[in-house]
Amino acid sequence: MFFIRSLIILFLSCITVKLNLCFSSIPYSLKTLNLEGHFNFDEVHHAARDFGNRYQFLPSAVLHPKSVSDIATTIKHIWEMGPHSELTVAARGHGHSLQGQAQSHRGVVINMESLQGPKMQVNTGNFPYVDVSGGELWINILRESLKYGLAPKSWTDYLHLTVGGTLSNAGISGQAFRHGPQISNVHQLEVVTGKGEIISCSKKQNSELFHSVLGGLGQFGVITRAKISLEPAPEKVKWIRVLYDDFAAFSRDQLHLISTENAFDYIEGFVIVNRTGLLNNWRSSFNPQDSVQASQFKSDGKTLFCLELAKYFNPDKNERANQEVGNSLSVLSYIPSTLFLSEVSYIQFLDRVHVSEVKLRSKGLWEVPHPWLNLLIPRSKIHNFAEEVFSNILTDTSNGPILIYPVNRSKWDNRTSVVIPEEDIFYLVAFLSSAVPTSTGTDGLEHILTQNKRILEYCETARLGVKQYLPHYTTQEEWRTHFGPQWEVFAQRKSTYDPLAILAPGQRIFQKAIPFS
């Protein structure tokens, strides 16, 4: 018996040693790669955090690439290791994911902001564009292109995000009604697939990959470079806000404006629920002098709706711009005494959220949990949604801005991977909540998550045809439901460009080495 017991112990010891060697050989094999940049195996904790501040998955290594070939070499190496390696890869831009989408548990996170290569190039001419790294921030693209009197056409509200990050989702702001999302304004991409191949693609060249990657949630390749369409940039912006106490009038005016030529260049809106506290005011505060005027408005406990507009102009066309603004406002049904107007530079307007970020950081209110919920809602259902959510579910003070504005479906390319409602016009409704970490009250994380769950449950039971933007699901069945008829195409694209499911594991759509057809 002693002899048999000794053999069993020896056998189990060998298995343990073998497993330990297996796991320790993963970082070692990465160390053998010939790279211009470098891996970091010790300082990896920052790559396990994101803006959502709710999930933390620690990677085994962080790649700081100097070239696209560094990324390709790494992914190809993991691809060649085969399905039995648990290594996966996530591209991380500025870390603004909400649910750990740019994290990779025990895998490799690529620090895209380290990516070097050809400098940003602005090409002027009849069809101007900027050629830029996938790890570049949109604010830097704006600053550089403005030197040539040009700028991208479509934006996100916050510019301190990377090109690859927003193009992997869609990129939506108040210009989307006219120009579509950012993914509708891309000429060409350079992509590293899940096999480690570096491929240039466009609508005419490798078009299937091009459309797969745009809005593809990082599932088909890492965007390492992009050519983005530009247009002449204005110098100034007339920035306008008006208030409504009736949602029907508010939405009617929004719909009118997005179908009117030359009215405004930017159209958004937001909901004001019991306007109190910094977290609810950082976006709704306009100018310091407005606080006195705003205090005169008595909502009597009503929910207010703010229509936010922008008219671009150059100083030599100021009078014409004033006339056009006046004409456009004259047919709207806002509360007459609630007109707020400011004139700012173009870059001040586009980078407006950064000012709020600085304020929140100074008060320690930026790096808190952000349980955001972003929904795309068909026009025909927006009144049902507003009545239930803003009257019954959100009865207390909101914990952050609630954006709501319509966009035209015709400005979106249905060949991309993004899932949107079927109707010609749909609304983005974004609950941009911030949770107080230690709170167990209405501003606490659990309360906000419960509120989000109630909203989603209502959408489902009422069959509103809602789709999530920046979607997050935990099971593949939920993802199948999200994609609906597009699931088969999405899964086929995955099997073509990332057959081992190496890329973007944090999205939780596919699991490595498990069939996904």
Side-chain angles (χ1 to χ4, degrees):
M1 287 295 296
F2 176 77
F3 178 71
I4 293 174
R5 189 179 302 164
S6 299
L7 281 177
I8 292 172
I9 292 172
L10 181 62
F11 176 71
L12 292 174
S13 299
C14 288
I15 291 176
T16 303
V17 170
K18 197 168 185 178
L19 286 172
N20 288 336
L21 285 172
C22 178
F23 288 126
S24 65
S25 68
I26 292 173
Y28 178 78
S29 70
L30 295 177
K31 291 177 183 178
T32 64
L33 299 180
N34 184 20
L35 306 175
E36 296 176 54
H38 68 280
F39 280 105
N40 196 320
F41 299 99
D42 301 316
E43 298 176 10
V44 297
H45 287 81
H46 70 282
R49 296 192 64 185
D50 57 25
F51 183 68
N53 209 8
R54 294 180 53 215
Y55 296 88
Q56 293 193 28
F57 297 105
L58 201 65
S60 293
V62 175
L63 173 64
H64 298 269
K66 281 191 176 180
S67 66
V68 175
S69 65
D70 284 352
I71 298 173
T73 298
T74 300
I75 295 177
K76 186 176 182 180
H77 173 73
I78 295 172
W79 156 256
E80 290 176 343
M81 291 175 74
H84 301 296
S85 161
E86 66 172 16
L87 277 183
T88 55
V89 176
R92 185 181 194 272
H94 209 48
H96 264 257
S97 297
L98 297 173
Q99 308 275 0
Q101 289 97 330
Q103 299 175 25
S104 178
H105 178 57
R106 298 178 68 172
V108 175
V109 170
I110 304 172
N111 182 356
M112 293 300 294
E113 291 186 286
S114 297
L115 179 61
Q116 300 176 7
K119 295 181 69 173
M120 190 188 316
Q121 296 179 347
V122 175
N123 290 267
T124 59
N126 294 331
F127 302 99
Y129 65 89
V130 60
D131 186 353
V132 64
S133 165
E136 192 61 80
L137 298 179
W138 284 98
I139 181 63
N140 295 334
I141 296 175
L142 176 60
R143 289 172 179 148
E144 183 65 21
S145 60
L146 283 177
K147 295 176 183 177
Y148 301 84
L150 299 167
K153 300 173 183 178
S154 190
W155 298 95
T156 52
D157 287 343
Y158 181 64
L159 303 189
H160 296 251
L161 305 170
T162 59
V163 169
T166 65
L167 295 186
S168 293
N169 289 282
I172 311 176
S173 185
Q175 305 85 4
F177 78 96
R178 176 169 295 161
H179 296 293
Q182 290 180 319
I183 59 173
S184 293
N185 296 277
V186 180
H187 292 312
Q188 186 176 321
L189 296 172
E190 178 186 70
V191 175
V192 180
T193 71
K195 300 177 183 179
E197 303 166 315
I198 303 174
I199 300 177
S200 292
C201 53
S202 65
K203 289 182 180 179
K204 295 183 178 179
Q205 177 189 15
N206 298 310
S207 62
E208 184 71 16
L209 177 61
F210 180 75
H211 293 116
S212 299
V213 169
L214 293 173
L217 305 175
Q219 293 300 302
F220 312 109
V222 177
I223 298 173
T224 53
R225 203 155 189 89
K227 291 183 178 179
I228 298 158
S229 180
L230 301 176
E231 67 176 357
E235 293 180 35
K236 304 280 286 181
V237 174
K238 293 184 186 295
W239 187 7
I240 300 155
R241 285 176 178 165
V242 291
L243 291 177
Y244 296 72
D245 58 10
D246 176 61
F247 182 77
F250 167 75
S251 61
R252 183 172 61 246
D253 283 354
Q254 281 189 323
L255 291 170
H256 164 73
L257 290 173
I258 69 166
S259 62
T260 304
E261 289 294 325
N262 301 319
F264 293 99
D265 300 285
Y266 162 100
I267 299 169
E268 282 198 13
F270 52 92
V271 186
I272 303 171
V273 182
N274 293 343
R275 188 175 177 173
T276 58
L278 177 65
L279 289 178
N280 199 41
N281 273 310
W282 68 266
R283 189 184 172 89
S284 53
S285 299
F286 206 33
N287 278 329
Q289 63 267 29
D290 289 337
S291 59
V292 177
Q293 185 180 351
S295 67
Q296 299 171 7
F297 306 134
K298 302 300 181 183
S299 67
D300 297 323
K302 292 181 180 178
T303 294
L304 296 177
F305 304 93
C306 179
L307 177 60
E308 184 175 43
L309 309 165
K311 180 73 174 180
Y312 303 161
F313 72 103
N314 289 322
D316 60 335
K317 303 289 186 183
N318 186 43
E319 287 304 314
R320 178 180 172 183
N322 283 335
Q323 186 176 5
E324 291 177 348
V325 167
N327 291 340
S328 297
L329 291 176
S330 67
V331 299
L332 304 183
S333 303
Y334 60 90
I335 302 171
S337 60
T338 65
L339 174 63
F340 297 85
L341 189 148
S342 180
E343 288 190 8
V344 295
S345 71
Y346 185 53
I347 193 168
Q348 280 179 305
F349 172 70
L350 290 179
D351 200 29
R352 61 197 177 278
V353 177
H354 184 58
V355 176
S356 304
E357 176 190 351
V358 173
K359 290 180 183 177
L360 289 173
R361 283 190 183 277
S362 70
K363 296 179 179 293
L365 294 172
W366 184 254
E367 294 182 355
V368 298
H370 294 98
W372 286 8
L373 177 64
N374 297 269
L375 304 174
L376 303 175
I377 302 174
R379 169 188 172 180
S380 66
K381 303 295 184 181
I382 193 64
H383 289 273
N384 305 64
F385 179 88
E387 183 176 356
E388 174 65 20
V389 174
F390 303 137
S391 298
N392 297 326
I393 296 179
L394 293 178
T395 54
D396 299 315
T397 303
S398 61
N399 295 290
I402 305 171
L403 307 188
I404 180 168
Y405 57 92
V407 294
N408 293 307
R409 194 179 200 277
S410 62
K411 304 297 181 180
W412 296 61
D413 190 330
N414 60 15
R415 293 171 293 181
T416 68
S417 294
V418 175
V419 179
I420 57 178
E422 292 296 326
E423 295 186 10
D424 292 340
I425 295 174
F426 58 89
Y427 278 74
L428 171 72
V429 182
F431 300 88
L432 308 183
S433 302
S434 298
V436 177
T438 57
S439 175
T440 56
T442 58
D443 55 357
L445 180 60
E446 288 307 314
H447 176 83
I448 297 171
L449 290 175
T450 300
Q451 201 166 252
N452 289 349
K453 184 179 178 182
R454 285 186 64 194
I455 293 171
L456 289 171
E457 286 175 347
Y458 164 70
C459 291
E460 185 174 350
T461 56
R463 298 184 178 181
L464 300 187
V466 169
K467 293 296 182 183
Q468 283 194 36
Y469 176 62
L470 307 178
H472 169 69
Y473 298 101
T474 55
T475 68
Q476 192 175 92
E477 194 55 42
E478 289 173 320
W479 280 109
R480 284 176 180 264
T481 301
H482 170 75
F483 283 103
Q486 294 176 237
W487 170 257
E488 295 304 326
V489 172
F490 194 84
Q492 181 56 48
R493 288 172 167 178
K494 183 70 171 180
S495 67
T496 300
Y497 300 115
D498 182 25
L500 292 186
I502 290 170
L503 301 176
Q507 296 285 3
R508 305 172 185 85
I509 306 175
F510 303 104
Q511 188 170 341
K512 189 172 182 183
I514 290 181
F516 43 80
S517 59

